[in-house]
Amino acid sequence: MLTSHIYIFMLITTSAFALTTGDLVHVIVEKGSLSDTMTVSLNSTTRRIFVFTAVSSNPFATHVWANETKLSKEHPVIIVVEQEHDILEWSIPLIMERSRSSGAILFNDTCRTLCNSNLLSGNFSGVQNFTVSLSTSSPDNVTVSLKVVEKTEFYLANNQSRNISTIAPGRPQHFLYKPNGTENVGIELRFTSNKNTCFTADIQKIRCPVYVLGEVFFDNGIRQTIVTESTIRVNGGHFANGFVLVFVQEETDYLCEKGYREGANCEEPSVVTIEIKETFGHDEYIYIPLTVFSCIAAFCIFHCFVFCYVEKQQQLKLPSNNNPDSDRRQVENKVHEETNRSTGNNTIDPEEQNNQTDRHQDENEIVEETNRDHENNAINTEIENDQRENKKFWKTVDELCKNFKENKEKALSYFSHVTNIAIFYAIPVVQLAANYQKSLNVTGDEDICYYNFGCANPLWFLFDSNHVLSNIGYVVLGISFMVIVYLRQRVRGEQQKGIPVYYGTDYAMAVVLISEGILSACYHICPTQKNFQFDVTFMYIMNILCVVKLYQKRHSDITLSACWTFAILGCIELIAVLGIIFEEIQIFMMLFLVIAYILWIYFTESEIFYLRRGLTELKKWIKSGSYRQLNEERPKVLFWTIVVLANVLNLVVLISAIVLFYVDEVLDFGTFLLMLLMGNAVLYSMFYLFMKICIHKEGISLQAGIYFVLSLVLWGLALYFFFDKSTYMTSSPADSRSYNHECYVGNFYDKHDIWHFTSAVAIYFTFMFLLCLDDNIADKDRKEIYVF
């Protein structure tokens, strides 16, 4: 009865269409056969309608293709599927416009899965009735084939692996997933393709129609492009009632390539494997970061107490070099003893008589030793000449560190400048990061951000919460270092001996560490190459401050002011931004950078490190031609040799960075600049340690040695995790997902999160090493501490 009604409706509709157009259209209505191939011939005067009736809780896929190799896009075949509540329409050949190309791709093989609202909502009961209409405006006969099959594997389930072998351009597919009743449980979908083809996967809410092509597809649900492997993590709270998973194989590889490339057509279907499993619930995610935060906070509190105790014990062992009253009393006692000795007392006690007898015996021995002294006089004279020569070349801290108050204000200006920069830099960064996250949540386009989708755990409004929360180590350890600097300042006060200490630079380093954690978290909200400067800006500042801290120890009077230092850093940041934005002119940026880098090396070495004098002395030594003066000129020659070696190593760092950037494409432009700054910071640290330990025999304190060893171990571990990358921003998002890996710790943190933790502790111990480096000469007179 229902079928006859459909026939009558179709006849009335087609008759009305023929009367209005003035053309006679012959309509053929027949009953369709499921799972059978029906080949028909059409033209502008013929229309075929197939009526299908089925009792099934599965949807049906309508497959229509043309046997002709050439179909006219001016006269396509129109396919219209009418259901009880929905209408689905498309045509063959299916026209796919190529992006940035004048041509188009035509597909003669198409397939659509019918969308049934009752099936998606789970309220299906009864019979499915639908019709498939085929028509064309072509005056010539066109032969097409139709096949309607039941889609038995439509429903997805947890802990299931599914192979899909019928995906091809023009033949998208969609599947239904409904949760098993557990609320707020995350779902992980892992995709693996057997071919290097470009796919698009989309997760939509349960509703009809299911968008598979067109612009609407890009503005609905969660979308990813896939080449070989990918993972989508779904927050159960956002899709509490389930979702529809859509697969589309793209006609070209444009969407999956970083730059435009005219990809070949992918006519052959590919096989995609889907693996589905449940992950942590929304509430369970919070326990892991809270545990890590508690461990870091406990370590910082414990270390602050231990450091304060050790600091007080060391201060008790030191002479009262920070107590001017004690020094004055010592001087008064010496003056009083000398006065008594000069006024003297005439009475001689027996002990004094014995001393006089011994004195007469010693006079004979002195006479015998005098001859020996004359024999060694030449050697002693040569040694004294060397010592005088050293003192001429190596100035002392007392000579170059006289303006303590001015230097203290200069150091404090670093703290104030860094704090202001951090505040005003962080405000727009936070705003931009929030806009990135909002754009991702609204559009669902996951190609915007370079996540490690194999371990991107959604929490609250954050899509990738673990990479954001793992930066807490920088913040907590930065606060801990600031507390330690404050405690040290309170315990030691202003020392009168040893290396002058200016705590403003230390406070600035603590602010930089805290800011690095905040800005790195903002960057990881949506990591891209365009906003990578959020993450590396304070790394630049950190490296510069470490060099300033070391240089300030021996050259506090001539250290660059904070204004000049940050002006130079501003130029570096400008170069980094231009290099990132204008990728096509990076070769010119590189040449400019190399020239500026060489000029900067010359400026710093000639002006800051007194190399003009070293070069002058070396020229005199070479022109003299007297190699017997080697011992006298040794300090100058040694110093210049170290400088030449430093320049060679600097060029090695520069060439290595260029090779990694252009040949292996391992580094992006921002990391390239960071490598140069880190290389120079390491070279200057090596120079300082060599001069301190090997040349001037000062050694280092036990505490500094422990921090040095710990920092080296942790830096090695951190760099191992850093170079084991899970994303590559120099490639396309689809290619980058091929490098994604699973979580490494607790099914929550991956290797990049471990890099955050280990590098934070490594930086912390590095700062502690710089803070305690010269503690072993804290009781040494400044006239005996050399500048280098």
Side-chain angles (χ1 to χ4, degrees):
M1 185 67 180
L2 180 61
T3 305
S4 61
H5 285 283
I6 294 177
Y7 287 155
I8 295 172
F9 174 76
M10 290 300 175
L11 288 173
I12 295 174
T13 304
T14 53
S15 300
F17 177 78
L19 290 174
T20 55
T21 58
D23 297 329
L24 181 62
V25 178
H26 181 58
V27 179
I28 302 175
V29 181
E30 58 184 294
K31 185 176 182 180
S33 178
L34 296 173
S35 302
D36 291 337
T37 301
M38 293 165 283
T39 303
V40 296
S41 180
L42 304 173
N43 54 38
S44 59
T45 62
T46 304
R47 182 179 183 184
R48 303 295 293 265
I49 299 176
F50 295 90
V51 180
F52 295 90
T53 301
V55 179
S56 175
S57 60
N58 294 316
F60 288 85
T62 302
H63 185 193
V64 181
W65 68 97
N67 296 324
E68 287 87 353
T69 57
K70 294 182 180 180
L71 286 177
S72 173
K73 63 179 180 180
E74 288 79 12
H75 302 288
V77 176
I78 308 299
I79 304 102
V80 179
V81 180
E82 299 183 23
Q83 299 173 267
E84 294 181 2
H85 304 289
D86 305 294
I87 296 178
L88 184 62
E89 179 183 357
W90 72 97
S91 63
I92 56 170
L94 183 64
I95 303 174
M96 295 288 188
E97 296 290 341
R98 291 180 176 178
S99 301
R100 301 183 185 180
S101 177
S102 58
I105 305 176
L106 305 180
F107 292 98
N108 298 332
D109 191 347
T110 62
C111 182
R112 294 290 187 274
T113 301
L114 305 184
C115 179
N116 191 306
S117 303
N118 293 327
L119 290 178
L120 293 182
S121 61
N123 298 324
F124 172 77
S125 62
V127 179
Q128 295 187 55
N129 297 299
F130 58 93
T131 63
V132 179
S133 173
L134 304 176
S135 61
T136 182
S137 60
S138 174
D140 302 324
N141 289 334
V142 176
T143 302
V144 295
S145 298
L146 168 67
K147 185 177 182 180
V148 178
V149 296
E150 182 181 0
K151 194 169 183 178
T152 58
E153 296 183 347
F154 178 69
Y155 299 96
L156 301 175
N158 293 329
N159 303 320
Q160 182 188 64
S161 180
R162 177 76 59 82
N163 291 330
I164 307 172
S165 59
T166 57
I167 303 177
R171 292 161 58 182
Q173 293 195 36
H174 69 267
F175 303 87
L176 176 65
Y177 171 83
K178 295 186 75 66
N180 56 6
T182 307
E183 296 182 358
N184 296 330
V185 175
I187 305 299
E188 179 182 288
L189 296 93
R190 188 176 298 275
F191 312 103
T192 306
S193 174
N194 67 331
K195 293 184 178 180
N196 191 20
T197 53
C198 183
F199 292 91
T200 301
D202 183 53
I203 291 179
Q204 306 176 18
K205 291 184 178 180
I206 298 177
R207 61 188 175 188
C208 283
V210 175
Y211 299 108
V212 292
L213 296 172
E215 295 182 355
V216 180
F217 171 73
F218 297 98
D219 296 329
N220 189 71
I222 301 175
R223 169 188 168 271
Q224 279 189 7
T225 54
I226 305 170
V227 175
T228 55
E229 295 181 6
S230 182
T231 302
I232 296 180
R233 295 204 170 200
V234 181
N235 192 333
H238 294 166
F239 296 92
N241 298 323
F243 55 82
V244 176
L245 175 62
V246 182
F247 277 104
V248 178
Q249 182 173 339
E250 300 297 334
E251 67 279 6
T252 66
D253 59 357
Y254 168 72
L255 291 176
C256 297
E257 292 292 330
K258 186 174 180 63
Y260 177 66
R261 184 166 65 87
E262 205 70 61
N265 295 351
C266 304
E267 296 288 352
E268 297 183 0
S270 302
V271 178
V272 177
T273 303
I274 310 174
E275 298 179 5
I276 305 175
K277 65 178 182 179
E278 291 185 353
T279 59
F280 288 138
H282 184 274
D283 297 332
E284 296 177 357
Y285 275 128
I286 195 62
Y287 294 112
I288 297 176
L290 281 178
T291 302
V292 174
F293 171 76
S294 301
C295 293
I296 297 175
F299 164 76
C300 292
I301 295 172
F302 174 76
H303 184 255
C304 287
F305 278 108
V306 172
F307 180 84
C308 186
Y309 174 78
V310 173
E311 192 70 17
K312 289 182 178 180
Q313 294 299 317
Q314 289 181 351
Q315 196 66 15
L316 293 175
K317 295 178 182 179
L318 292 176
S320 54
N321 55 6
N322 59 344
N323 192 345
D325 295 334
S326 176
D327 292 340
R328 185 168 58 252
R329 286 194 297 269
Q330 291 179 2
V331 173
E332 291 176 356
N333 292 334
K334 290 182 180 180
V335 173
H336 183 66
E337 291 176 0
E338 292 293 334
T339 304
N340 292 336
R341 196 174 291 121
S342 61
T343 55
N345 163 1
N346 292 330
T347 58
I348 301 176
D349 57 3
E351 184 178 354
E352 182 65 25
Q353 291 178 357
N354 293 334
N355 291 336
Q356 290 179 0
T357 303
D358 295 337
R359 195 178 298 114
H360 287 296
Q361 294 176 356
D362 292 339
E363 288 177 358
N364 296 329
E365 296 178 0
I366 292 173
V367 172
E368 295 176 0
E369 292 178 358
T370 303
N371 296 329
R372 241 181 267 124
D373 293 337
H374 286 294
E375 294 176 359
N376 297 329
N377 186 42
I379 299 175
N380 294 333
T381 302
E382 184 178 358
I383 294 174
E384 291 176 358
N385 289 336
D386 286 344
Q387 292 176 351
R388 284 196 298 271
E389 193 66 29
N390 288 342
K391 291 181 179 178
K392 290 180 182 179
F393 189 81
W394 305 109
K395 292 183 177 296
T396 62
V397 171
D398 186 65
E399 296 179 68
L400 292 181
C401 302
K402 296 182 178 298
N403 303 320
F404 181 80
K405 290 185 178 179
E406 294 181 5
N407 296 335
K408 183 179 178 181
E409 293 296 327
K410 184 190 296 186
L412 286 175
S413 67
Y414 275 92
F415 172 61
S416 59
H417 276 72
V418 166
T419 303
N420 291 331
I421 290 173
I423 293 173
F424 285 98
Y425 192 86
I427 291 174
V429 168
V430 172
Q431 180 183 5
L432 288 173
N435 287 335
Y436 271 118
Q437 186 65 60
K438 182 179 179 180
S439 176
L440 177 62
N441 293 337
V442 171
T443 64
D445 186 4
E446 294 186 352
D447 283 358
I448 298 175
C449 311
Y450 283 76
Y451 296 123
N452 174 23
F453 290 92
C455 188
N457 300 298
L459 179 65
W460 301 316
F461 64 93
L462 299 173
F463 183 87
D464 186 12
S465 63
N466 49 300
H467 287 91
V468 175
L469 297 177
S470 60
N471 289 280
I472 192 66
Y474 296 107
V475 178
V476 177
L477 291 170
I479 296 173
S480 176
F481 183 72
M482 184 175 292
V483 173
I484 283 177
V485 173
Y486 175 76
L487 293 175
R488 185 184 181 92
Q489 185 178 12
R490 288 291 302 271
V491 172
R492 295 208 171 193
E494 295 182 0
Q495 296 175 306
Q496 303 300 317
K497 293 184 178 181
I499 297 292
V501 181
Y502 305 100
Y503 295 101
T505 313
D506 298 309
Y507 286 121
M509 293 162 65
V511 173
V512 168
L513 187 55
I514 296 172
S515 303
E516 172 60 29
I518 296 173
L519 294 177
S520 178
C522 293
Y523 159 72
H524 281 285
I525 289 177
C526 182
T528 65
Q529 192 174 9
K530 301 301 182 184
N531 63 358
F532 185 55
Q533 68 268 20
F534 296 170
D535 194 19
V536 298
T537 296
F538 277 83
M539 291 185 184
Y540 299 158
I541 299 176
M542 191 181 300
N543 283 278
I544 294 296
L545 281 182
C546 288
V547 176
V548 169
K549 176 63 180 178
L550 271 179
Y551 190 75
Q552 189 184 57
K553 288 176 177 292
R554 312 271 173 162
H555 314 84
S556 55
D557 282 356
I558 57 174
T559 302
L560 285 177
S561 65
C563 293
W564 277 104
T565 301
F566 290 113
I568 295 171
L569 278 168
C571 296
I572 295 174
E573 180 67 15
L574 177 62
I575 295 173
V577 172
L578 293 176
I580 292 173
I581 294 177
F582 302 105
E583 297 182 13
E584 62 276 5
I585 63 169
Q586 282 186 349
I587 181 64
F588 301 104
M589 296 295 300
M590 190 69 67
L591 292 175
F592 170 76
L593 181 63
V594 170
I595 296 173
Y597 186 68
I598 294 174
L599 292 176
W600 170 248
I601 291 174
Y602 172 76
F603 170 75
T604 55
E605 292 180 349
S606 61
E607 297 294 338
I608 299 179
F609 295 102
Y610 303 104
L611 297 191
R612 286 182 178 177
R613 185 181 63 184
L615 179 60
T616 302
E617 297 294 339
L618 181 65
K619 288 181 179 179
K620 291 180 180 179
W621 180 74
I622 294 175
K623 290 180 180 179
S624 66
S626 177
Y627 293 96
R628 290 173 298 178
Q629 297 179 2
L630 178 61
N631 290 332
E632 297 179 2
E633 301 291 336
R634 182 166 47 193
K636 295 180 278 295
V637 175
L638 174 63
F639 193 83
W640 184 246
T641 303
I642 295 173
V643 169
V644 172
L645 180 61
N647 283 328
V648 172
L649 293 176
N650 227 321
L651 291 177
V652 169
V653 172
L654 178 62
I655 294 173
S656 301
I658 293 175
V659 169
L660 291 174
F661 182 78
Y662 279 108
V663 178
D664 293 336
E665 296 183 354
V666 175
L667 302 179
D668 56 87
F669 196 77
T671 308
F672 169 79
L673 288 177
L674 181 61
M675 184 176 178
L676 294 183
L677 292 176
M678 290 184 66
N680 279 272
V682 172
L683 287 178
Y684 184 66
S685 301
M686 293 170 59
F687 167 78
Y688 189 93
L689 290 175
F690 178 78
M691 299 300 294
K692 176 179 173 63
I693 298 174
C694 300
I695 302 302
H696 295 287
K697 310 298 181 182
E698 291 181 357
I700 61 175
S701 65
L702 176 61
Q703 191 176 6
I706 294 174
Y707 290 134
F708 180 72
V709 173
L710 290 175
S711 62
L712 283 182
V713 172
L714 285 167
W715 272 122
L717 186 63
L719 291 176
Y720 167 76
F721 288 109
F722 176 77
F723 286 110
D724 190 4
K725 291 183 176 294
S726 58
T727 59
Y728 280 88
M729 290 186 293
T730 55
S731 61
S732 66
D735 287 332
S736 176
R737 293 189 186 96
S738 301
Y739 299 95
N740 292 169
H741 53 232
E742 296 181 358
C743 297
Y744 193 68
V745 177
N747 200 28
F748 188 81
Y749 292 119
D750 66 357
K751 292 184 178 180
H752 193 75
D753 293 315
I754 306 303
W755 147 256
H756 285 164
F757 293 128
T758 52
S759 63
V761 182
I763 295 171
Y764 179 73
F765 283 137
T766 302
F767 287 178
M768 293 299 303
F769 166 70
L770 296 177
L771 183 67
C772 305
L773 178 57
D774 291 305
D775 284 359
N776 61 315
I777 56 174
D779 59 341
K780 194 173 184 180
D781 194 284
R782 290 175 182 174
K783 295 180 180 179
E784 301 175 3
I785 302 176
Y786 292 108
V787 171
F788 47 81

Coordinates of all heavy atoms in Angstrom, one line a residue, residues 422-438 461-462 515 517-523 525-526 531 534:
A422 N 58.4 41.4 31.5 CA 57.6 40.2 31.7 C 56.1 40.6 31.8 O 55.2 39.9 31.2 CB 58.0 39.5 32.9
I423 N 55.7 41.6 32.5 CA 54.3 42.0 32.7 C 53.7 42.5 31.3 O 52.7 42.0 30.9 CB 54.2 43.1 33.7 CG1 54.6 42.6 35.1 CG2 52.8 43.7 33.7 CD1 54.6 43.6 36.2
F424 N 54.4 43.4 30.6 CA 53.9 44.0 29.4 C 54.0 43.0 28.2 O 53.2 43.1 27.3 CB 54.6 45.3 29.1 CG 54.2 46.4 30.0 CD1 54.9 46.8 31.1 CD2 53.0 47.1 29.7 CE1 54.5 47.8 31.9 CE2 52.6 48.1 30.6 CZ 53.4 48.5 31.7
Y425 N 54.9 42.1 28.3 CA 54.9 41.1 27.3 C 53.9 40.0 27.5 O 53.3 39.4 26.5 CB 56.3 40.4 27.2 CG 56.6 39.6 26.0 CD1 57.1 40.2 24.8 CD2 56.4 38.2 26.0 CE1 57.4 39.4 23.7 CE2 56.7 37.4 24.9 CZ 57.2 38.0 23.8 OH 57.4 37.2 22.7
A426 N 53.7 39.6 28.7 CA 52.7 38.5 29.0 C 51.3 38.9 28.7 O 50.5 38.0 28.4 CB 52.9 38.1 30.4
I427 N 50.9 40.1 28.9 CA 49.5 40.5 28.8 C 49.0 40.2 27.3 O 48.0 39.5 27.2 CB 49.3 42.0 29.1 CG1 49.5 42.2 30.7 CG2 47.9 42.5 28.7 CD1 49.4 43.6 31.1
P428 N 49.6 40.7 26.3 CA 49.1 40.4 24.9 C 49.3 38.9 24.6 O 48.5 38.3 23.8 CB 50.0 41.2 24.0 CG 51.2 41.6 24.8 CD 50.8 41.6 26.2
V429 N 50.3 38.2 25.2 CA 50.5 36.8 24.9 C 49.4 36.0 25.5 O 48.8 35.1 24.8 CB 51.9 36.3 25.5 CG1 51.9 34.8 25.5 CG2 53.0 36.9 24.7
V430 N 48.9 36.3 26.7 CA 47.8 35.6 27.3 C 46.6 35.9 26.4 O 45.7 34.9 26.2 CB 47.6 36.1 28.7 CG1 46.3 35.5 29.3 CG2 48.8 35.6 29.6
Q431 N 46.4 37.1 26.0 CA 45.2 37.4 25.1 C 45.2 36.6 23.8 O 44.2 36.0 23.4 CB 45.2 38.9 24.8 CG 44.0 39.3 24.0 CD 44.1 40.8 23.6 OE1 45.0 41.5 24.0 NE2 43.0 41.3 23.0
L432 N 46.4 36.6 23.2 CA 46.5 35.8 21.9 C 46.3 34.3 22.1 O 45.6 33.6 21.3 CB 47.8 36.1 21.3 CG 48.0 37.5 20.7 CD1 49.4 37.7 20.2 CD2 47.1 37.7 19.5
A433 N 46.9 33.8 23.2 CA 46.7 32.4 23.5 C 45.2 32.0 23.7 O 44.7 31.0 23.3 CB 47.6 32.0 24.7
A434 N 44.5 32.9 24.5 CA 43.1 32.7 24.7 C 42.3 32.7 23.4 O 41.4 31.9 23.2 CB 42.6 33.7 25.7
N435 N 42.7 33.6 22.5 CA 42.0 33.7 21.2 C 42.3 32.4 20.4 O 41.4 31.9 19.7 CB 42.4 34.9 20.4 CG 41.8 36.2 21.0 OD1 40.8 36.2 21.7 ND2 42.5 37.3 20.8
Y436 N 43.5 31.9 20.4 CA 43.8 30.7 19.7 C 42.9 29.5 20.2 O 42.4 28.8 19.5 CB 45.3 30.3 19.9 CG 46.2 30.9 18.9 CD1 47.2 31.8 19.3 CD2 46.2 30.6 17.6 CE1 48.1 32.4 18.4 CE2 47.0 31.1 16.6 CZ 48.0 32.0 17.0 OH 48.9 32.5 16.1
Q437 N 42.9 29.4 21.6 CA 42.1 28.4 22.1 C 40.6 28.5 21.8 O 39.9 27.5 21.5 CB 42.3 28.3 23.6 CG 41.6 27.1 24.3 CD 42.2 25.8 23.9 OE1 43.4 25.6 24.1 NE2 41.4 25.0 23.4
K438 N 40.1 29.7 21.8 CA 38.7 30.0 21.5 C 38.4 29.6 20.0 O 37.4 29.0 19.7 CB 38.4 31.5 21.8 CG 36.9 31.8 21.5 CD 36.6 33.3 21.8 CE 35.2 33.6 21.6 NZ 34.9 35.0 21.9
F461 N 38.9 24.0 29.7 CA 38.8 24.6 28.3 C 40.0 24.3 27.5 O 40.1 24.7 26.4 CB 38.6 26.1 28.5 CG 39.8 26.8 29.1 CD1 40.8 27.3 28.3 CD2 39.8 27.0 30.5 CE1 41.9 28.0 28.9 CE2 40.9 27.6 31.1 CZ 41.9 28.1 30.3
L462 N 41.0 23.7 28.1 CA 42.3 23.4 27.4 C 42.2 22.1 26.6 O 41.7 21.1 27.1 CB 43.4 23.3 28.4 CG 43.7 24.5 29.3 CD1 44.8 24.2 30.4 CD2 44.2 25.7 28.4
S515 N 58.7 33.7 34.3 CA 58.1 34.2 33.1 C 58.2 33.1 32.0 O 57.3 33.0 31.2 CB 58.8 35.5 32.6 OG 58.7 36.5 33.6
G517 N 58.0 29.9 32.4 CA 57.0 29.0 32.6 C 55.6 29.5 32.2 O 54.8 28.7 31.6
I518 N 55.3 30.7 32.5 CA 54.0 31.3 32.1 C 53.9 31.4 30.6 O 52.9 31.0 30.0 CB 53.8 32.7 32.8 CG1 53.8 32.5 34.3 CG2 52.6 33.3 32.2 CD1 53.8 33.8 35.0
L519 N 54.9 31.9 29.9 CA 54.8 32.1 28.5 C 54.9 30.8 27.7 O 54.3 30.6 26.7 CB 56.0 33.0 28.0 CG 55.8 34.5 28.5 CD1 57.0 35.3 28.1 CD2 54.5 35.1 28.1
S520 N 55.7 29.8 28.2 CA 55.7 28.5 27.6 C 54.3 27.8 27.7 O 53.9 27.2 26.8 CB 56.8 27.6 28.3 OG 56.8 26.3 27.7
A521 N 53.7 28.0 28.8 CA 52.3 27.5 29.0 C 51.4 28.1 28.0 O 50.5 27.5 27.4 CB 51.8 27.7 30.4
C522 N 51.5 29.5 27.8 CA 50.7 30.1 26.8 C 51.0 29.6 25.4 O 50.0 29.5 24.6 CB 50.9 31.7 26.9 SG 50.3 32.4 28.4
Y523 N 52.2 29.4 25.1 CA 52.6 28.9 23.8 C 52.0 27.5 23.5 O 51.5 27.2 22.5 CB 54.1 28.9 23.6 CG 54.6 27.9 22.6 CD1 54.5 28.3 21.2 CD2 55.2 26.7 22.9 CE1 54.9 27.4 20.2 CE2 55.7 25.9 21.9 CZ 55.5 26.2 20.6 OH 56.0 25.3 19.6
I525 N 49.3 26.3 24.7 CA 47.9 26.3 24.5 C 47.5 26.0 23.0 O 46.6 25.3 22.7 CB 47.2 27.6 24.9 CG1 47.3 27.7 26.5 CG2 45.8 27.8 24.5 CD1 46.8 29.0 27.0
C526 N 48.3 26.6 22.1 CA 48.2 26.3 20.7 C 49.6 26.5 20.0 O 49.8 27.6 19.5 CB 47.1 27.2 20.0 SG 46.9 26.9 18.3
N531 N 53.8 31.6 16.6 CA 53.9 32.1 18.0 C 55.0 31.4 18.8 O 54.9 31.5 20.1 CB 52.5 31.9 18.7 CG 52.1 30.5 18.8 OD1 52.8 29.6 18.4 ND2 51.0 30.2 19.5
F534 N 56.8 33.2 21.7 CA 56.3 33.3 23.0 C 57.2 32.4 24.0 O 57.5 32.8 25.1 CB 54.9 32.8 23.1 CG 53.9 33.6 22.3 CD1 52.6 33.2 22.1 CD2 54.2 34.8 21.8 CE1 51.7 33.9 21.4 CE2 53.3 35.6 21.1 CZ 52.0 35.1 20.9

